[in-house]
Amino acid sequence: MIQIFTVKKRFDSQKPISSTEKLGLRWCRQSYPLYTWAELSIQGKYPNPVEYSLYISNNNNEFDKKDDPSYKAFHRTIGSPELVVVGKTSSENKLTGVAIISFQFNEQEDYFSISIAKGIDPALILCLAGIVDETIEKSMRTECYVHV
């Protein structure tokens, strides 16, 4: 389980669960409170089928039902670097497409592109993209190391 924090409250009554100083983040002169934003669960290992489930904090350190994530992401096909993200708002009952994240790996450079639906928090999708990128990279390094 990977936790994602924010320095902004998501709700007026939300209390911080940590601070930048407590986590050893000393990139600024003062310490900032950290609030729970989301948790990411990863089932599977790339390049095999992987399902990413993102649970949004609904108050303090509580998350949506563990069997009903706010967002899910999956690779279009086994080993595909393209990730489809589906999600729902609090007023919706079914998951619909919210973003496509495409990772490009080649000998000259690595990069990614993101398409995000209107009304979706781009910062959250960027966090997801960064975590997935690191997860894919770690899986590929491990796979290469095993075959060397």
Side-chain angles (χ1 to χ4, degrees):
M1 193 68 66
I2 298 168
Q3 287 196 332
I4 301 171
F5 299 105
T6 179
V7 293
K8 290 175 63 178
K9 288 183 180 185
R10 292 184 32 79
F11 305 95
D12 288 336
S13 62
Q14 190 172 18
K15 301 205 181 341
I17 64 162
S18 192
S19 70
T20 54
E21 184 177 5
K22 286 181 186 174
L23 293 182
L25 304 172
R26 295 184 178 88
W27 33 262
C28 53
R29 292 183 179 168
Q30 68 183 62
S31 181
Y32 289 94
L34 293 174
Y35 303 92
T36 302
W37 187 7
E39 276 188 350
L40 178 64
S41 170
I42 302 171
Q43 301 297 320
K45 187 175 178 184
Y46 186 86
N48 297 317
V50 182
E51 183 176 291
Y52 307 89
S53 299
L54 194 60
Y55 303 91
I56 303 299
S57 172
N58 56 23
N59 198 358
N60 289 333
N61 202 19
E62 298 174 12
F63 295 89
D64 297 333
K65 296 177 191 172
K66 292 298 180 189
D67 58 348
D68 191 20
S70 300
Y71 298 92
K72 285 186 176 184
F74 53 89
H75 298 276
R76 281 197 189 264
T77 58
I78 294 174
S80 169
E82 190 166 84
L83 194 68
V84 175
V85 184
V86 295
K88 62 182 177 178
T89 63
S90 57
S91 63
E92 297 173 319
N93 291 326
K94 67 177 188 171
L95 297 169
T96 58
V98 299
I100 295 176
I101 304 169
S102 181
F103 300 93
Q104 303 294 322
F105 309 106
N106 61 50
E107 292 178 13
Q108 287 79 29
E109 62 183 352
D110 297 338
Y111 65 94
F112 64 93
S113 63
I114 302 176
S115 296
I116 304 172
K118 184 177 181 179
I120 303 302
D121 187 343
L124 186 62
I125 301 301
L126 280 172
C127 288
L128 176 62
I131 293 167
V132 170
D133 179 50
E134 288 299 314
T135 303
I136 290 173
E137 193 174 305
K138 181 180 179 187
S139 293
M140 298 309 288
R141 276 195 313 265
T142 303
E143 193 70 24
C144 288
Y145 181 74
V146 168
H147 294 318
V148 171

